[in-house]
Amino acid sequence: MIHYPLQNRLPVDANGFYGPFGGTFVPENLIKNIKELDAEFRRHIADPEFRNEFDRLLHDYVGRPTPLYHSPFLSKQYGATIFLKREDLNHTGAHKINNAIGQALLAKRMGKKKIIAETGAGQHGVATATVAALLGLECEIYMGAEDIHRQRSNVMRMEMLGAKVISVECGNATLSNAVDAALAAWTDNPDNIFYLIGSAVGPHPYPEMVSRFQSVISHEIRLQLKEATGKECPDCVIACVGGGSNAAGAFFHFIDNPGVRLVTVEAGGLGMESGKTAASLSLGKPTVLHGSKTMVLTDFHDNPAEAYSISPGLDYPGIGPLMAYLAHTGRAEVVVVDDDNALKAAYTLARTEGIVPALESSHALAALGKLHFRKDDIVVGNLSGRGDKDMETYLSALPL
Ligand SMILES: *Cc1c(COP(=O)(O)O)cnc(C)c1O
């Protein structure tokens, strides 16, 4: 069993700012609860008993460590040594469970009886419903009506797990509206509810908390690379970004090593000129969204705009403040991959390696073709999830 360090190695100040991004922009009556959450998080994450329980559940229940797989096909294709970090092999099929376990353990220790969460594609909803069942907590999931319609199988999974799925009808009835509804529910009843946010977004301390729970990914990459290659650090790490949690986890232990290239991959949707993208790092403006200041796609009135991507987990107009900061300072590179190239990368991986990636992760795979590597480069692509949920989209886009 691995003991994860979970230390804070993030460029965040005491007020939750990552350079110009982040902070705590919440209604007055939530301030007390946010402060309480911050204090409880710091107390428990330093507690060896909490840490042991987290380590043990990740090992026995989630199935960690996930493999670091050397891909012969991709290595040959792109002329470098390419590894895939197999977060798709986690229980429930994506990296989201790492964070859900951490926050649910915290909720339990804070004496909360009820967990609420937002979900877009349903992956975070399933992860939350799963840990709520495991730990005996009541669970409500806010989901846009449009997403409920598009992601039927995940809705059924949440119901099977005993969660109540609440349909959100306002706006375009997708993820962003679900976050608004969950924040409103928490604001109405902050003492009894724990809001379990699914990505490295939201008011401080959520982005830090989610990033630290997800840091297990890069901790394992270090151990596994050392074993496979003799070196702990790769030359390059690539991850797709929706809110930025799998990227935060995959980058975490390499952020302060400038020798490691960090590459974020955002969804270009139908193309950068189309007005139908989720490319908030490339096309966004600093704006307050869902409790923090970050890069946000905006409309003519500077209000948050609707995002679009074929991938339901990347279809969000904002991005977490850590990723906004890493891109702003040039520490992370930003690559944009559109729907078609993500689909092609998925077919290629399925047919050469026998792995069906999530549509989100396919964006990271497609980015391999847009980067230049030296022959002896060691590259890690974070395969954030598996593609079972995306089968209808994949098959309706065939033949390719
Ligand atoms: C939710 C999701 C993402 C996007 O979220 P991040 O917080 O940016 O990681 C990426 N991949 C998969 C498989 C997801 O389920």
Side-chain angles (χ1 to χ4, degrees), residues 77-123:
Q77 176 96 338
Y78 297 112
T81 302
I82 298 181
F83 290 92
L84 297 176
K85 181 60 173 160
R86 298 290 309 276
E87 291 301 298
D88 59 311
L89 295 177
N90 285 322
H91 180 44
T92 70
H95 66 290
K96 294 222 169 63
I97 189 92
N98 305 324
N99 163 58
I101 291 218
Q103 285 193 53
L105 284 176
L106 181 60
K108 187 121 186 159
R109 291 200 161 211
M110 289 173 71
K112 306 280 178 181
K113 300 272 182 286
K114 180 165 162 184
I115 289 183
I116 63 168
E118 81 296 338
T119 198
Q123 291 301 102

Side-chain angles (χ1 to χ4, degrees), residues 78 365-371 373:
Y78 297 112
L365 295 166
L368 287 166
K370 299 198 161 198
L371 298 166
F373 301 118

Side-chain angles (χ1 to χ4, degrees), residues 41 135 200 276 297 321:
F41 165 61
L135 299 178
K276 293 223 154 237
L297 294 175

Side-chain angles (χ1 to χ4, degrees), residues 232-247:
E232 276 191 10
C233 290
D235 297 291
C236 178
V237 187
I238 306 172
C240 66
V241 289
S245 73
N246 86 90

Side-chain angles (χ1 to χ4, degrees), residues 54-359:
F54 179 73
D55 296 344
R56 187 181 57 74
L57 283 175
L58 288 195
H59 182 270
D60 300 350
Y61 186 74
V62 174
R64 302 200 73 90
T66 58
L68 185 70
Y69 171 64
H70 172 251
S71 165
F73 174 83
L74 295 176
S75 300
K76 186 150 174 275
Q77 176 96 338
Y78 297 112
T81 302
I82 298 181
F83 290 92
L84 297 176
K85 181 60 173 160
R86 298 290 309 276
E87 291 301 298
D88 59 311
L89 295 177
N90 285 322
H91 180 44
T92 70
H95 66 290
K96 294 222 169 63
I97 189 92
N98 305 324
N99 163 58
I101 291 218
Q103 285 193 53
L105 284 176
L106 181 60
K108 187 121 186 159
R109 291 200 161 211
M110 289 173 71
K112 306 280 178 181
K113 300 272 182 286
K114 180 165 162 184
I115 289 183
I116 63 168
E118 81 296 338
T119 198
Q123 291 301 102
H124 176 55
V126 169
T128 304
T130 299
V131 296
L134 175 71
L135 299 178
L137 296 159
E138 191 189 336
C139 180
E140 281 178 6
I141 305 293
Y142 290 82
M143 190 168 184
E146 178 60 27
D147 287 333
I148 288 181
H149 176 69
R150 290 193 291 189
Q151 307 289 331
R152 213 37 239 160
S153 71
N154 274 340
V155 174
M156 291 191 285
R157 280 168 85 191
M158 288 182 255
E159 286 170 348
M160 178 74 187
L161 291 160
K164 185 167 160 205
V165 179
I166 297 173
S167 175
V168 179
E169 316 278 343
C170 51
N172 58 336
T174 58
L175 175 60
S176 196
N177 315 105
V179 179
D180 288 331
L183 273 170
W186 189 35
T187 308
D188 281 349
N189 191 359
D191 293 332
N192 298 318
I193 287 176
F194 187 99
Y195 181 16
L196 205 162
I197 295 188
S199 189
V201 300
H204 182 67
Y206 280 103
E208 177 190 333
M209 192 157 69
V210 174
S211 300
R212 287 173 71 180
F213 288 135
Q214 292 292 3
S215 72
V216 302
I217 300 172
S218 48
H219 183 70
E220 287 177 10
I221 293 174
R222 285 184 87 106
L223 300 176
Q224 292 167 323
L225 262 192
K226 175 95 181 170
E227 202 175 302
T229 69
K231 282 177 34 175
E232 276 191 10
C233 290
D235 297 291
C236 178
V237 187
I238 306 172
C240 66
V241 289
S245 73
N246 86 90
F251 296 171
F252 196 89
H253 290 283
F254 307 117
I255 292 173
D256 51 14
N257 178 348
V260 182
R261 270 173 92 179
L262 307 177
V263 179
T264 60
V265 186
E266 52 181 8
L270 298 183
M272 293 299 267
E273 313 293 317
S274 67
K276 293 223 154 237
T277 81
S280 43
L281 291 173
S282 305
L283 301 176
K285 279 195 209 165
T287 302
V288 171
L289 178 67
H290 299 143
S292 66
K293 189 165 183 195
T294 189
M295 295 297 279
V296 180
L297 294 175
T298 51
D299 63 17
F300 293 120
H301 308 289
D302 285 342
N303 294 318
E306 286 176 19
Y308 164 82
S309 164
I310 193 169
S311 150
L314 301 183
D315 183 343
Y316 179 66
I319 175 83
L322 172 63
M323 289 304 133
Y325 174 74
L326 294 177
H328 174 74
T329 56
R331 177 65 190 93
E333 294 165 48
V334 181
V335 171
V336 183
V337 165
D338 63 19
D339 289 358
D340 283 349
N341 284 314
L343 285 169
K344 282 188 193 132
Y347 295 127
T348 304
L349 195 75
R351 285 154 196 209
T352 58
E353 296 285 8
I355 299 169
V356 179
L359 260 168

Side-chain angles (χ1 to χ4, degrees), residues 7-21:
Q7 76 272 49
N8 190 8
R9 305 176 57 137
L10 298 168
V12 60
D13 71 17
N15 296 319
F17 277 92
Y18 303 73
F21 304 111

